[in-house]
Amino acid sequence: MNDVVLTGDRPTGPLHLGHYFGSLANRVELQGRYPMYVLVADYQVITDRDTPGEIRRNTTELVLDYLAVGIDPARAVIFQHSAIPELNQLLLPFLSLVSVAELQRNPTVKDEIAHSSQRAVSGLMFTYPVHQAADILFCKGTLVPVGKDQLPHVEVTRLVARRFNERYGPVFPLPQALMGEQPLLKGLDGGKMSKSRGNAIALSATEDETAALIRKARTDSDRHITFDEERRPEVANLLTLAGLCLGRSPRELAEEIGDRGAAELKRVTTEAVNEFLRPIRKRRAELDEGDVRRILAEGNERARERAVRTLEEVRQAMGF
Ligand code: ATP
Ligand code: MG
């Protein structure tokens, strides 16, 4: 079977280091080896907020982040949910394949509801994992580079694909999740680093912003630095960040820092992150909104062609 890569992000704010080590690095690594689709999941912005907000600006920023980390539009189709009606139409048959109980059991949905500031939980909150099945299956995606929070959703996609094939004949492959070097990077508050939880280091952050964020990060009162994720999560978190950016083990870094304490740990981490982000910032500064519009227009056209073919196949299989 020929593998196809599908992955994406919500345009809800700037991409951060969690995205990089959870998913973006894998995408850059896989592009060119397989056909690759990268989705700007704009319709999913309204799962946990009332309106799409500054959707146009956030979309531009998201695509600039992609280009800055090295996703190459010549080798990856970058496209938007809202531009592909045929993809969205797959949601309807797919919803018929899962039960309400299955939707309610999803642990990532539960976690997101717990962190949502919305007063009422929308129906989309429960059904968006099935929408993600449409994202993955519209292009018959088989490899899905994602972070750990996405594993339950890839399971839903496999369930949808399996049930569709059982009921209507073999149309879809069963995709698999591909986790990155750090499937769950924690933010500066110890929770999952998230765009919408105010705890992230953005890939587009300036040197000074990065330094200020790390300066504010919590540590503990033990001066001697050790790597102990259980008992010293804050210190371990900074060591992990520095280690990822330097390509070194956090334990080794802890030994080097030793008695020089939290101030030295923060200095090392700030320098590591800033060094790592330097080339990404530089590429970003060379691009503008015009580049993004061109890339999306072309990507949307290519993704749409693919979606039209899949929807036609689905209708035929179902006997419409
Ligand atoms: P939001 O808070 O708006 O939901 P997010 O930071 O969770 O934003 P998403 O757009 O929901 O980002 O996720 C995009 C991709 O990045 C997914 O594959 C997700 O698994 C991955 N990802 C997000 N945060 C992390 C993280 N902290 N560590 C590893 N991977 C992550
Ligand atoms: Mg998220």
Side-chain angles (χ1 to χ4, degrees):
M1 193 184 49
N2 298 325
D3 280 312
V4 174
V5 181
L6 176 289
T7 178
D9 312 272
R10 304 199 305 159
T12 46
L15 293 184
H16 49 68
L17 289 168
H19 294 111
Y20 190 87
F21 294 107
S23 167
L24 295 170
N26 263 343
R27 303 181 199 180
V28 174
E29 155 89 17
L30 292 170
Q31 67 181 350
R33 284 164 57 196
Y34 306 102
M36 184 160 93
Y37 291 85
V38 178
L39 166 65
V40 177
D42 52 5
Y43 272 163
Q44 272 185 22
V45 171
I46 48 175
T47 51
D48 61 357
R49 54 202 82 195
D50 295 336
T51 69
E54 296 206 52
I55 192 69
R56 196 177 159 88
R57 209 198 65 198
N58 286 344
T59 297
T60 304
E61 295 294 315
L62 178 59
V63 176
L64 287 175
D65 282 336
Y66 288 161
L67 303 174
V69 298
I71 293 178
D72 174 3
R75 294 186 286 176
V77 177
I78 304 176
F79 71 103
Q80 298 157 280
H81 263 153
S82 59
I84 323 288
E86 294 78 6
L87 180 160
N88 294 298
Q89 200 173 320
L90 291 173
L91 179 61
L92 198 153
F94 286 2
L95 275 176
S96 77
L97 299 167
V98 290
S99 71
V100 171
E102 282 164 343
L103 294 175
Q104 284 171 334
R105 269 205 294 273
N106 189 308
T108 296
V109 169
K110 286 187 192 163
D111 181 59
E112 286 172 346
I113 290 173
H115 284 90
S116 165
S117 52
Q118 266 196 319
R119 261 175 304 153
V121 180
S122 73
L124 188 57
M125 190 57 156
F126 287 99
T127 53
Y128 88 81
V130 182
H131 194 221
Q132 272 186 226
D135 298 340
I136 297 171
L137 296 176
F138 97 93
C139 63
K140 303 203 175 173
T142 57
L143 300 175
V144 192
V146 283
K148 195 174 169 198
D149 59 308
Q150 293 295 311
L151 292 186
H153 300 348
V154 177
E155 267 321 303
V156 171
T157 300
R158 292 170 62 88
L159 190 77
V160 164
R162 202 177 317 116
R163 287 189 186 153
F164 188 95
N165 293 346
E166 279 163 15
R167 287 186 201 176
Y168 302 113
V171 171
F172 293 114
L174 300 192
Q176 80 189 67
L178 248 178
M179 286 210 283
E181 191 181 353
Q182 187 69 30
L184 181 63
L185 186 67
K186 292 190 180 136
L188 297 167
D189 62 354
K192 171 187 172 295
M193 187 179 280
S194 274
K195 297 187 211 98
S196 29
R197 296 185 195 176
N199 64 356
I201 300 179
L203 300 175
S204 53
T206 64
E207 293 211 13
D208 290 348
E209 284 163 357
T210 304
L213 283 167
I214 295 172
R215 199 177 314 121
K216 272 194 313 201
R218 242 188 312 149
T219 51
D220 56 33
S221 54
D222 185 348
R223 186 168 169 81
H224 186 77
I225 298 301
T226 54
F227 183 69
D228 184 341
E229 289 180 288
E230 281 285 304
R231 278 179 303 183
R232 308 184 68 186
E234 297 97 345
V235 168
N237 199 19
L238 288 174
L239 288 165
T240 300
L241 263 180
L244 284 166
C245 290
L246 293 167
R248 295 187 53 194
S249 100
R251 208 169 294 279
E252 210 180 274
L253 286 175
E255 275 163 27
E256 272 176 29
I257 297 166
D259 281 331
R260 281 179 293 164
E264 176 67 2
L265 169 63
K266 288 187 175 182
R267 194 193 61 76
V268 168
T269 307
T270 304
E271 210 175 281
V273 173
N274 273 331
E275 195 59 41
F276 176 80
L277 290 178
R278 196 157 293 136
I280 296 178
R281 290 182 188 126
K282 184 165 171 285
R283 265 198 302 272
R284 204 171 200 287
E286 291 160 2
L287 300 156
D288 64 27
E289 173 149 15
D291 299 314
V292 171
R293 294 296 140 205
R294 255 193 318 280
I295 287 163
L296 282 176
E298 194 183 309
N300 286 338
E301 194 179 314
R302 288 174 63 191
R304 187 150 189 208
E305 281 165 20
R306 188 70 194 84
V308 166
R309 277 191 284 139
T310 301
L311 181 62
E312 189 47 38
E313 219 182 313
V314 162
R315 281 195 187 120
Q316 289 229 348
M318 295 176 77
F320 283 114

